[in-house]
Amino acid sequence: DVVVSLTPIGKENFAFGLANGTIGVYGGEKKLWTRRYKHDVRDMAIFDLDDDGEAELITGWSNGRLDVRKRETGQEIFKERLSAPISGLCISDYRMQGSEEIIVATANGDIRGYGCASSDEAKEEIETKVDNMRLEALKTQKMALLLEKRSYESNLKAVKAKTRDAGLVPQETKLKQNLQPNVTENCMEVLFESTEGTVIKMLICESQSLFPTGTKVFKKNKPTATLSVPIQKDQLGAGCTFNVKAVVGHLSSYQDHIFESTCEIPHFCGFIHRQSHGDLKMPESCVTFEMNERVKSLETWINKKFGMSYEGRGGGRLEMWFKSIYNDDTLCIFFQEGDNDSRSSVKLACKDMQTLGDMIQELADAFSLKDLKSIASFPEEMKAFKQTIQVVEECDRTRLKLQADIAENVNLVKQLVVKAEDVRLVGNMEHMKRIYAQLYELNLELIGEYKKRARNHAELVRNLKTVNSMIQKAARLRTGRYKTQVVQECRKAIKSNNIHALVDIFRSGQASN
């Protein structure tokens, strides 16, 4: 969704707010937590309100809500409802007393200040409010548990008395889930199945990364014992999970049971392992590198990230072939253990640079590869990249030419305006009309030149984004200082218009001498 607010937290972390009412915090590239509400985020700030040495995240909302949260966990420690929507937050010494405060401005013009709780009384007041909030939450949870307990007790009595209504859900009912490929739809799916003759009436799935609105409901016109949740390629990513609430019962039941579970989707589950790969062609694009790991460790990582249970033949060597269910791309993994003190060699082959970059980053996280250097070869990607660079150069030349033409026409306009005024002063109206007619034609030319310039600028921006995306893909084939080095070297090569250097940087991570 659209980002409406970004607030830095130190050097590596930041808080964000989205247009759909979602707020959260990233620690580096990892999402620490998210929360979502039905109201709009108006502003965010970082301020140590409770004077504990750790700054909290303060958020202002369109309904007048002001809340304070722990930045590491998202736990709410303070909230207040103002009489009007919040317009903005800022940190300043508003009263000029030598200490900063969080200043809150509302839509009706009210200004409120919240200072740091430095005194014991202020700290005690905040702690009391936090305790009251926790108490209210526990009371709500207690009521929900009591209602659930009464329902279980009623069903248990019916079971013991052997008078259980056929409409009640059997106590032995379970909800099974299985991740499997859907060849018909060319996607992966999570298949849910209920037991004991029950049907799944509805699945309520919650995930900020999988569903645009954060929640999606799946159901059939005629409920059955199975119901699937499709997973598309653009939904897959590191740490992809979603929470499920399944409404299970009989077709005629008046009382259903809700099963809650969490489903984790492996990042590369869209690649299906092929034992027989005679019909698959080895991709030309590949990346090779070395690491201090053994084949068993890599097999464990593959089983986890691809959602499979593979057992190799041993011997210090591994060769695995995969085919994508989404676009028929081939992925190959080759691994050879090193002898004695030598490092093990790894080769990953796939025409999609983004996929190999994701794999290398996850391998680096799993095996703590802080500085990983690799050799990459992507002929098709480099061919397209060279064409993009040429388009950028052509757009830049066109931009300069259009800029000169517009400047020339603007000078002509200035001259004609002065000339028309001089003619008007001497009363020569016919000549003045001819000059304004020329001005009209010249103005049309300027509008046309502006439209050409706007189209050229849009094309230039689009191709520059492609160039930047390609550089980021190449950088993700390395980690640590080698990753940073790729970005720096690529920028230097582009500034100097050295295409051959770019090829070397993409291949080895550095420009050749």
Side-chain angles (χ1 to χ4, degrees):
D1 208 330
V2 178
V3 178
V4 296
S5 180
L6 281 176
T7 303
I9 305 175
K11 294 182 178 180
E12 298 182 354
N13 301 352
F14 66 90
F16 67 92
L18 305 181
N20 63 4
T22 301
I23 61 172
V25 170
Y26 270 89
E29 297 182 356
K30 183 180 179 182
K31 188 186 294 184
L32 300 181
W33 58 267
T34 58
R35 300 289 186 274
R36 185 176 178 184
Y37 299 93
K38 61 182 180 180
H39 301 287
D40 298 331
V41 181
R42 290 299 175 86
D43 204 358
M44 308 176 80
I46 298 295
F47 185 72
D48 186 7
L49 192 63
D50 57 3
D51 195 31
D52 62 350
E54 293 289 336
E56 289 80 36
L57 174 63
I58 302 175
T59 310
W61 300 83
S62 60
N63 65 336
R65 175 189 173 97
L66 180 73
D67 58 42
V68 182
R69 298 176 179 276
K70 292 288 186 181
R71 64 186 188 186
E72 296 86 0
T73 62
Q75 177 190 355
E76 190 176 70
I77 61 173
F78 176 78
K79 66 178 178 180
E80 188 171 3
R81 182 73 174 271
L82 305 184
S83 59
I86 292 176
S87 299
L89 306 174
C90 69
I91 299 173
S92 176
D93 185 5
Y94 185 73
R95 296 181 294 178
M96 305 183 71
Q97 295 181 345
S99 59
E100 290 186 331
E101 302 166 326
I102 180 75
I103 310 300
V104 182
T106 63
N108 62 4
D110 289 343
I111 303 292
R112 290 199 179 193
Y114 297 84
C116 179
S118 56
S119 66
D120 294 337
E121 292 182 0
K123 290 182 179 179
E124 186 177 349
E125 182 181 354
I126 290 179
E127 291 176 358
T128 301
K129 288 186 177 181
V130 171
D131 291 340
N132 290 336
M133 288 171 55
R134 291 174 179 171
L135 182 61
E136 290 298 324
L138 289 173
K139 287 181 179 179
T140 303
Q141 186 179 2
K142 177 183 176 182
M143 291 300 298
L145 290 173
L146 285 174
L147 290 174
E148 188 175 356
K149 177 174 175 287
R150 290 172 187 172
S151 177
Y152 283 135
E153 288 175 347
S154 176
N155 289 343
L156 184 61
K157 288 181 181 179
V159 170
K160 289 182 178 180
K162 297 182 180 181
T163 59
R164 183 175 61 181
D165 194 300
L168 296 178
V169 177
Q171 190 176 5
E172 302 81 14
T173 304
K174 294 182 179 179
L175 182 69
K176 301 178 181 179
Q177 64 183 42
N178 181 42
L179 180 65
Q180 62 184 28
N182 186 331
V183 181
T184 305
E185 299 295 333
N186 291 329
C187 70
M188 297 298 293
E189 66 177 16
V190 182
L191 182 67
F192 292 89
E193 181 180 3
S194 62
T195 61
E196 304 300 327
T198 57
V199 297
I200 302 176
K201 297 184 177 181
M202 185 187 303
L203 288 175
I204 304 173
C205 303
E206 299 176 347
S207 173
Q208 296 294 336
S209 59
L210 283 178
F211 312 114
T213 59
T215 304
K216 191 168 184 178
V217 176
F218 297 88
K219 61 183 298 186
K220 293 181 179 179
N221 293 331
K222 186 177 180 180
T224 62
T226 60
L227 188 57
S228 62
V229 176
I231 306 296
Q232 303 299 333
K233 183 181 179 181
D234 57 355
Q235 295 176 307
L236 294 174
C240 178
T241 61
F242 65 94
N243 298 320
V244 180
K245 294 180 181 179
V247 181
V248 178
H250 295 287
L251 290 174
S252 59
S253 63
Y254 58 86
Q255 189 179 72
D256 297 322
H257 186 78
I258 297 179
F259 289 87
E260 297 186 18
S261 64
T262 299
C263 184
E264 183 174 356
I265 311 298
H267 191 168
F268 306 106
C269 65
F271 287 96
I272 310 302
H273 183 224
R274 296 284 295 271
Q275 294 283 358
S276 175
H277 52 81
D279 59 327
L280 300 182
K281 183 180 178 181
M282 169 70 74
E284 295 181 359
S285 303
C286 64
V287 58
T288 58
F289 56 93
E290 295 181 343
M291 58 190 295
N292 290 323
E293 297 295 335
R294 296 302 175 190
V295 67
K296 281 296 182 183
S297 301
L298 187 62
E299 287 177 2
T300 303
W301 180 84
I302 291 174
N303 288 334
K304 179 180 179 181
K305 295 299 179 180
F306 286 77
M308 53 188 295
S309 54
Y310 174 81
E311 291 186 8
R313 300 176 181 177
R317 187 176 183 276
L318 179 67
E319 178 179 340
M320 299 183 71
W321 292 67
F322 300 85
K323 187 175 182 181
S324 173
I325 194 173
Y326 295 106
N327 51 20
D328 292 334
D329 280 355
T330 300
L331 170 66
C332 305
I333 301 177
F334 302 96
F335 181 86
Q336 180 63 55
E337 284 187 2
D339 298 330
N340 299 327
D341 295 334
S342 62
R343 292 158 62 88
S344 302
S345 62
V346 184
K347 179 181 179 180
L348 307 177
C350 182
K351 74 174 186 178
D352 186 11
M353 185 185 291
Q354 181 69 43
T355 298
L356 296 188
D358 291 343
M359 289 185 65
I360 289 175
Q361 294 302 313
E362 296 218 15
L363 276 168
D365 291 340
F367 299 111
S368 300
L369 307 177
K370 295 182 179 179
D371 292 306
L372 177 65
K373 185 178 182 180
S374 64
I375 303 297
S377 174
F378 291 87
E380 293 183 10
E381 295 268 8
M382 283 309 305
K383 182 179 179 180
F385 184 67
K386 290 178 181 179
Q387 293 175 352
T388 302
I389 291 293
Q390 292 173 358
V391 173
V392 169
E393 292 174 350
E394 181 63 28
C395 288
D396 195 48
R397 287 193 293 267
T398 303
R399 179 183 64 84
L400 295 175
K401 182 179 180 300
L402 289 173
Q403 189 174 354
D405 293 342
I406 290 175
E408 182 179 352
N409 287 337
V410 168
N411 288 330
L412 287 175
V413 168
K414 292 178 180 179
Q415 294 174 12
L416 287 174
V417 168
V418 173
K419 190 175 182 180
E421 182 64 16
D422 292 340
V423 173
R424 184 188 69 82
L425 291 174
V426 299
N428 192 345
M429 295 301 154
E430 291 297 326
H431 194 190
M432 185 187 72
K433 289 180 181 179
R434 289 195 297 271
I435 294 175
Y436 274 113
Q438 294 178 28
L439 276 172
Y440 178 76
E441 295 295 331
L442 195 56
N443 184 59
L444 291 179
E445 289 183 21
L446 279 171
I447 293 174
E449 294 293 331
Y450 171 77
K451 289 181 178 179
K452 290 180 184 178
R453 187 178 179 182
R455 288 193 295 269
N456 182 75
H457 178 72
E459 180 72 8
L460 179 62
V461 170
R462 185 178 66 83
N463 283 278
L464 285 175
K465 287 181 178 179
T466 303
V467 171
N468 184 65
S469 175
M470 188 66 178
I471 293 174
Q472 294 300 324
K473 287 180 182 179
R476 284 177 60 80
L477 299 176
R478 290 95 182 171
T479 63
R481 58 189 177 94
Y482 297 109
K483 181 178 180 180
T484 305
Q485 180 177 294
V486 167
V487 177
Q488 295 174 346
E489 294 285 344
C490 282
R491 288 175 177 170
K492 291 180 182 178
I494 290 175
K495 285 182 179 179
S496 60
N497 196 23
N498 193 341
I499 303 299
H500 297 291
L502 281 173
V503 176
D504 292 335
I505 296 168
F506 278 37
R507 184 184 65 84
S508 62
Q510 60 185 9
S512 59
N513 296 326

